[in-house]
Amino acid sequence: MMKPFDDTYFMKRALQEAQLAFDKNEVPVGAVIVMNNQIIARAHNLTETLNDVTAHAEMQAFTAAADFLGGKYLKECTLYVTLEPCQMCAGASYWTQIGKIVYGASEEKRGFINLNTTLHPKTTVVAGVLKEECATLLKKFFIEKRNLN
C-alpha cells in the first residue's frame, strides 16, 4: 500500500521552498516542518533578503513552527530540509528537541555530521531523500552565480 504522506512527499514540498529561494537569488535551501502529516511551517533561505547570516531555511522554519504551536519545543515534529543542516541549524534543532530530521543533499564542508555537531538524543535522522533533485538545484544555482561573475 502506498502512503500519500511519506518522506518523499514532504521533501518535494521542501524543494518547492528551495525553488522560491532560487527565484529570489538566495542559496536554494528549503524546509518544511510537519506534525501529524500536516505542514505547520514552510521556509527557505532569506540570508540575502534580510541581510542576516542566521536566516537559514531551518531557522525560519523553527520560528514559524514554534509560533504555530505556541511553544518552543518541536518534539512531535519532523524537519524536512533540502540540504544537510549546518552546525548552527543543527544546534538550534537540539534546543527545539525536534523529533526527526530528514534531509536531501549532504553538505560535506559545513554539514553537522562531518562537524560532529550533537543533536538532541531523541532526534532521529534520515539522509538522502531526493538527494539528486536537491543537489541539482544547488549546483544549478552556483553554476549560474559563477557565470555571472
Side-chain angles (χ1 to χ4, degrees):
M1 186 169 121
M2 190 171 134
K3 288 176 57 178
F5 299 114
D6 60 4
D7 289 345
T8 300
Y9 173 86
F10 289 115
M11 188 60 73
K12 285 180 181 178
R13 305 293 80 76
L15 269 165
Q16 290 173 338
E17 287 295 318
Q19 184 64 52
L20 292 174
F22 183 95
D23 295 344
K24 292 179 181 177
N25 206 27
E26 297 274 0
V27 175
V29 177
V32 297
I33 295 181
V34 174
M35 183 174 173
N36 298 326
N37 285 326
Q38 177 186 353
I39 295 173
I40 64 169
R42 299 173 180 272
H44 52 273
N45 270 1
L46 291 173
T47 58
E48 300 300 324
T49 302
L50 299 177
N51 197 30
D52 179 356
V53 297
T54 68
H56 291 193
E58 301 95 321
M59 302 296 278
Q60 301 298 308
F62 291 148
T63 299
D67 285 347
F68 178 85
L69 294 173
K72 60 187 176 182
Y73 297 116
L74 307 176
K75 296 175 185 181
E76 305 299 319
C77 299
T78 300
L79 167 69
Y80 292 88
V81 62
T82 57
L83 182 64
E84 177 185 342
C86 70
Q87 200 167 20
M88 174 185 68
C89 294
S93 76
Y94 177 95
W95 293 109
T96 69
Q97 299 180 20
I98 196 136
K100 182 177 175 185
I101 297 173
V102 179
Y103 68 87
S106 294
E107 170 51 280
E108 292 164 18
K109 292 181 184 173
R110 296 186 178 124
F112 76 94
I113 292 175
N114 283 338
L115 295 174
N116 297 316
T117 304
T118 303
L119 299 177
H120 193 273
K122 293 184 180 177
T123 300
T124 60
V125 176
V126 175
V129 174
L130 296 180
K131 68 180 177 182
E132 295 304 320
E133 293 91 331
C134 295
T136 297
L137 186 59
L138 285 158
K139 288 174 190 169
K140 180 181 175 188
F141 176 80
F142 287 110
I143 287 169
E144 287 184 14
K145 277 283 193 200
R146 275 187 232 112
N147 290 338
L148 292 176
N149 293 331

